[in-house]
């Protein structure tokens, strides 16, 4: 009698989400994953001083309720989710890189809790200072990919505590990091990253550029040039960029099929609906939906 195939079955991995985000406490989070066919989520912290994050994020966050001074999503909440459903989550953590002992924090989190991803890095600092570079090299030694949020200063009509929120610096900062830390995998994310899918100047005036893509953008250029760069397709920034020019997007997804990760940073199913509408080969979809994530973070 033929032996039943013992090949392990995988399904979708969401490579970017946060506990309690948009009011999704544990039960609601798990229900939402099930509804969207998501087997596993990379659960990232989003820690920094409270005044570095738009207050708009706070009313929906447990951090506020719990009275913590890091915001909006603490690593402690990632651990709390992971302990309740270890098979559904991959732990991510990024300490504040301005702390001189940031490496020790991450090292302890790896040893004690089994952190597999460094993220989300979202701080009001230029990301390539010497301490940060040392930290990224440590991530490379420990085989942790680093998920980075880039965002240009853009006035949002909010006056308190600052008129704008920016993170990381411009994309030349990313290029210097890619060059100086070739042994570390970096995952690009957010408005300041995806604005450069196209070679135009909209990144100076809007967080969400629209219209046909002009070839020659820094995102495809860096993906071609630096094998240590990957990108997650999470949040409004990625889907808005991908929807700008579906014809360009199809070629982009085919060319970089080994470097892109399905990810949400929200709780809708719009990215799956969009990806599935493009008639991509199933091998390509499988890479984006889970194989690339498993290559970066193999299962235990
Ligand atoms: Zn982000």
């Amino acid at each position: 009698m033929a032996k039943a195939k013992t090949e392990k079955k995988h399904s979708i991995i969401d490579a970017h989400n946060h506990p309690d985000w948009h009011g999704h406490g544990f039960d609601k989070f798990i229900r939402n994953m099930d509804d969207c066919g998501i087997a596993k989520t990379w659960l990232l912290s989003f820690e920094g001083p409270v005044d570095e994050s738009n207050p708009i994020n706070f009313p929906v966050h447990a951090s506020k309720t719990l009275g913590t001074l890091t915001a909006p999503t603490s690593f402690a909440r990632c651990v709390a989710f992971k302990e309740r459903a270890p098979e559904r989550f991959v732990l991510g953590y990024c300490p504040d890189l301005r702390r001189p002992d940031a490496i020790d924090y991450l090292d302890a989190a790896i040893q004690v809790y089994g952190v597999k991803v460094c993220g989300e890095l979202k701080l009001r600092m230029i990301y390539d200072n010497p301490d940060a570079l040392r930290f990224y090299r440590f991530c490379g030694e420990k085989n942790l990919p680093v998920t980075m949020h880039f965002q240009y200063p853009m006035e949002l009509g909010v006056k308190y505590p600052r008129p704008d929120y920016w993170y990381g610096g411009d994309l030349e900062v990313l290029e210097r990091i890619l060059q100086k830390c070739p042994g570390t995998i970096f995952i690009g994310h957010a408005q300041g990253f995806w604005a450069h899918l196209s070679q135009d100047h909209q990144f100076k005036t809007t967080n969400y550029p629209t219209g046909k893509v002009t070839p020659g953008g820094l995102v495809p250029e860096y993906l071609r040039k630096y094998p240590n760069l990957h990108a997650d397709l999470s949040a409004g920034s990625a889907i808005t960029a991908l929807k700008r020019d579906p014809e360009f997007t199809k070629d982009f997804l085919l060319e970089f099929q080994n470097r892109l990760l399905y990810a949400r940073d929200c709780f809708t199913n719009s990215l799956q609906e969009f990806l599935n509408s493009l008639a991509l080969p199933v091998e390509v979809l499988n890479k984006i939906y889970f194989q690339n994530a498993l290559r970066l973070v193999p299962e235990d």
Side-chain angles (χ1 to χ4, degrees):
M1 209 166 85
K3 250 191 165 181
K5 264 195 180 170
T6 49
E7 205 179 302
K8 218 172 166 191
K9 255 199 154 175
H10 293 294
S11 64
I12 297 172
I13 296 176
D14 175 355
H16 187 139
N17 227 323
H18 306 284
D20 306 322
W21 194 227
H22 298 301
H24 284 68
F26 180 83
D27 291 334
K28 198 170 171 187
F29 199 116
I30 293 279
R31 267 201 309 277
N32 175 269
M33 283 173 69
D34 291 341
D35 289 346
C36 297
I38 292 168
K40 270 192 190 197
T41 294
W42 291 11
L43 213 48
L44 310 181
S45 69
F46 167 9
E47 280 196 3
V50 173
D51 58 3
E52 285 191 12
S53 182
N54 193 332
I56 235 171
N57 289 324
F58 287 82
V60 292
H61 279 284
S63 300
K64 181 133 187 154
T65 317
L66 298 173
T68 61
L69 290 175
T70 51
T73 304
S74 68
F75 175 56
R77 293 300 300 149
C78 300
V79 173
F81 273 40
K82 171 77 175 168
E83 286 178 344
R84 287 181 71 181
E87 70 292 350
R88 303 301 299 272
F89 298 113
V90 170
L91 260 190
Y93 171 47
C94 185
D96 190 331
L97 302 196
R98 292 160 298 197
R99 299 187 68 129
D101 52 356
I103 289 177
D104 303 330
Y105 271 76
L106 182 61
D107 196 21
I110 294 168
Q111 289 183 39
V112 180
Y113 300 105
V115 162
K116 306 272 195 219
V117 177
C118 175
E120 175 177 0
L121 169 57
K122 185 172 180 179
L123 296 165
R124 203 171 166 100
M125 63 177 274
I126 300 295
Y127 285 161
D128 69 334
N129 75 36
D131 291 330
L133 293 172
R134 189 178 299 124
F135 178 88
Y136 306 142
R137 290 187 187 117
F138 176 77
C139 292
E141 284 161 25
K142 297 290 178 184
N143 295 317
L144 265 61
V146 181
T147 300
M148 313 175 102
H149 182 115
F150 280 92
Q151 189 171 340
Y152 289 101
M154 208 78 68
E155 294 220 10
L156 299 171
V158 183
K159 292 293 167 219
Y160 176 83
R162 291 163 190 161
D164 57 31
Y165 293 88
W166 65 265
Y167 305 95
D170 58 32
L171 271 219
E172 273 115 58
V173 173
L174 174 60
E175 181 168 37
R176 292 199 294 272
I177 293 170
L178 292 165
Q179 288 169 346
K180 288 176 180 168
C181 306
T184 306
I185 301 286
F186 295 93
I187 301 174
H189 149 76
Q191 298 94 326
F193 180 82
W194 285 109
H196 293 284
L197 185 64
S198 172
Q199 193 195 35
D200 59 47
H201 294 279
Q202 292 188 59
F203 69 91
K204 294 176 184 166
T205 50
T206 176
N207 274 318
Y208 299 98
T210 51
K212 228 173 150 43
V213 167
T214 308
L218 292 178
V219 165
E221 186 190 316
Y222 291 175
L223 282 167
R224 253 172 234 134
K225 231 163 136 183
Y226 302 105
N228 55 333
L229 178 62
H230 288 57
D232 81 35
L233 303 179
S234 70
S237 52
I239 198 163
T240 305
L242 296 176
K243 284 184 170 175
R244 285 179 67 166
D245 190 341
E247 225 170 285
F248 173 93
T249 292
K250 209 172 161 183
D251 291 341
F252 174 80
L253 296 174
L254 289 171
E255 181 175 356
F256 301 111
Q257 57 184 270
N258 295 318
R259 314 277 287 285
L260 302 171
L261 306 172
Y262 171 80
R264 297 195 298 167
D265 203 6
C266 67
F267 295 89
T268 74
N269 212 19
S270 52
L271 180 62
Q272 282 191 45
E273 285 159 14
F274 177 67
L275 290 172
N276 294 343
S277 76
L278 295 173
L280 291 163
V282 68
E283 305 81 55
V284 174
L285 284 173
N286 284 346
K287 287 180 183 180
I288 295 171
Y289 275 134
F290 60 87
Q291 285 170 351
N292 294 338
L294 287 173
R295 198 183 68 246
L296 297 188
V297 180
E299 285 191 326
D300 293 325

